[in-house]
Amino acid sequence: MSTSHLTIDLTALADNWKALDARNTSETGAVVKANGYGLGVGRAAKALAEAGARQFFVAVAEEGAAVRKAVGDGPVISVFAGHMAGDAPLLRDHKLVPMINSVEQMLRHARELGGHPFGIQLDTGMNRLGLEPHEWAALRDVALRQGPTLIMSHLACADEPHHEMSAQQLRVFKELTDDIQVPRSLAATGGLLLGPDYHFDLCRPGVGLYGGEPFDEAKAVVTLDLPVIQVRSVEEGETVGYGNTWTAPRKSRIATVAAGYADGLHRALGAGIDLFHGTQTCPVVGRVSMDLITVDITDLEKAPESLQILNRMQTVDDLAEAAGTIGYEILTSLGNRYRRSYIA
Ligand SMILES: *Cc1c(COP(=O)(O)O)cnc(C)c1O
């Protein structure tokens, strides 16, 4: 088979949720936006619900509809984008809770879906989503009378444990909410790991569930096998790939495997990445092209049928480091040409 094979380990996903839950002094939700960080939102959400998650978060209402289908009627599904124009039918039909971000959204929600549950997102310094402190001051009495189900904010620098921004945002969040009897949430994966001060009533981990930093005890959730299409010998001094960027330092055997930057294996990966045959490593040589990667397999005894690029030894964060990005982007870029299978 010439397509590459992505294996998603739902048991590892569930174990990561349980491990984060064990660190958390409050309720543990699950963020499943962007198609479950690229891994398939239906299967991911169902596995997380079975592990015990009762609160799910998505970026936009359409994603919430898919989660509702996967987890059934019970769990709460909240939408970070809040209540956007045209969302009312989706929010109503799939029982989604918009996290209101602005005065405009608050008015829209009251007008179009009065009585439907909502939460409130406050900006505590990240300046991305949420009501500003002065807006909250003006709106809070009216908003609280309508019974929000959750008040949340988001940390900008929680993946850096000693960053002073987290303590600063914690202070602001408390000032804005300490006298209120509504459940509160501040932490994603990074904030959960900062400790109990950040837990409030609910944590919202995402990336740690899927095997990414900053949860360094996470189990690997994805394995990616790339079939070898062709193997050739090159003489010392011959070059491989676009731009002649690699020159064989010795007589070498080169395997060409079936995936490239169109499949989320960024062109910037190039040097510094290995492919694996069992535990044996084979360096990527030459440029990553759209559908193909070339690998030096000179030290293998015989040509393998496929080589692994993602596994427990080389994680999404290792690929991210080589490509100058973050594990989140590697996960959410994993291509739709892969044959995908789930193990549970
Ligand atoms: C994406 C996101 C999360 C989850 O963040 P991770 O770093 O993946 O754990 C939580 N809250 C909000 C508002 C987000 O946008």
Side-chain angles (χ1 to χ4, degrees):
M1 186 147 348
S2 65
T3 54
S4 295
H5 186 194
L6 185 69
T7 308
I8 296 150
D9 184 345
L10 297 172
T11 303
L13 177 71
D15 287 348
N16 289 339
W17 185 85
K18 289 175 192 161
L20 285 166
D21 187 47
R23 295 269 201 109
N24 183 8
T25 53
S26 68
E27 181 176 359
T28 308
V31 178
V32 293
K33 63 193 179 190
N35 191 28
Y37 286 50
L39 303 186
V41 69
R43 301 296 296 261
K46 194 156 177 286
L48 291 163
E50 281 164 14
R54 286 291 166 271
Q55 298 243 15
F56 291 86
F57 292 85
V58 292
V60 296
E62 286 80 358
E63 295 179 336
V67 176
R68 178 60 73 207
K69 207 168 151 207
V71 301
D73 246 3
V76 178
I77 302 172
S78 301
V79 181
F80 291 139
H83 189 149
M84 310 258 287
D87 276 353
L90 274 173
L91 296 173
R92 185 188 54 230
D93 295 350
H94 303 280
K95 243 178 63 186
L96 311 175
V97 183
M99 294 291 122
I100 299 295
N101 285 304
S102 65
V103 178
E104 188 193 2
Q105 286 199 355
M106 186 75 84
L107 295 172
R108 177 182 298 128
H109 191 71
R111 191 172 63 238
E112 297 185 14
L113 221 51
H116 182 92
F118 69 99
I120 289 169
Q121 192 159 185
L122 301 178
D123 178 54
T124 51
M126 187 174 183
N127 285 311
R128 190 180 67 166
L129 282 180
L131 294 161
E132 294 279 329
H134 74 271
E135 293 175 313
W136 177 233
L139 211 66
R140 59 173 257 167
D141 291 344
V142 181
L144 291 176
R145 268 201 299 280
Q146 295 169 55
T149 55
L150 184 71
I151 299 184
M152 61 166 280
S153 188
H154 193 49
L155 298 168
C157 304
D159 57 337
E160 297 171 55
H162 303 294
H163 203 296
E164 63 190 31
M165 181 68 167
S166 298
Q168 153 110 14
Q169 286 189 267
L170 176 62
R171 214 157 38 238
V172 174
F173 189 58
K174 289 178 130 184
E175 277 166 24
L176 296 175
T177 61
D178 255 354
D179 55 341
I180 294 172
Q181 304 304 315
V182 174
R184 292 183 289 177
S185 177
L186 179 61
T189 304
L192 191 158
L193 297 172
L194 291 180
D197 287 353
Y198 290 84
H199 293 170
F200 293 92
D201 300 291
L202 172 71
C203 290
R204 317 179 302 268
V207 74
L209 306 172
Y210 306 96
E213 298 282 358
F215 184 36
D216 49 21
E217 289 161 33
K219 292 189 180 172
V221 174
V222 289
T223 311
L224 181 53
D225 290 282
L226 312 180
V228 173
I229 302 175
Q230 190 180 11
V231 176
R232 75 184 64 250
S233 293
V234 299
E235 297 299 326
E236 180 183 336
E238 281 196 87
T239 55
V240 171
Y242 283 125
N244 288 1
T245 59
W246 187 78
T247 305
R250 57 174 173 167
K251 186 171 166 45
S252 306
R253 274 191 313 149
I254 303 297
T256 304
V257 298
Y261 60 75
D263 305 294
L265 302 174
H266 301 305
R267 184 171 177 277
L269 276 176
I273 281 299
D274 290 317
L275 268 58
F276 288 76
H277 177 60
T279 55
Q280 257 183 298
T281 55
C282 310
V284 169
V285 294
R287 290 231 171 105
V288 172
S289 44
M290 187 184 292
D291 322 289
L292 300 167
I293 295 175
T294 38
V295 190
D296 181 354
I297 60 161
T298 314
D299 295 331
L300 295 188
E301 250 165 48
K302 70 192 234 311
E305 278 184 17
S306 68
L307 290 162
Q308 252 174 17
I309 190 164
L310 278 172
N311 54 29
R312 124 187 102 66
M313 294 160 282
Q314 184 165 268
T315 66
V316 290
D317 292 290
D318 295 323
L319 291 201
E321 195 182 331
T325 179
I326 52 175
Y328 300 69
E329 193 182 358
I330 299 293
L331 279 169
T332 55
S333 304
L334 289 170
N336 44 31
R337 286 198 290 192
Y338 298 134
R339 186 161 56 89
R340 290 173 177 238
S341 47
Y342 293 86
I343 51 176

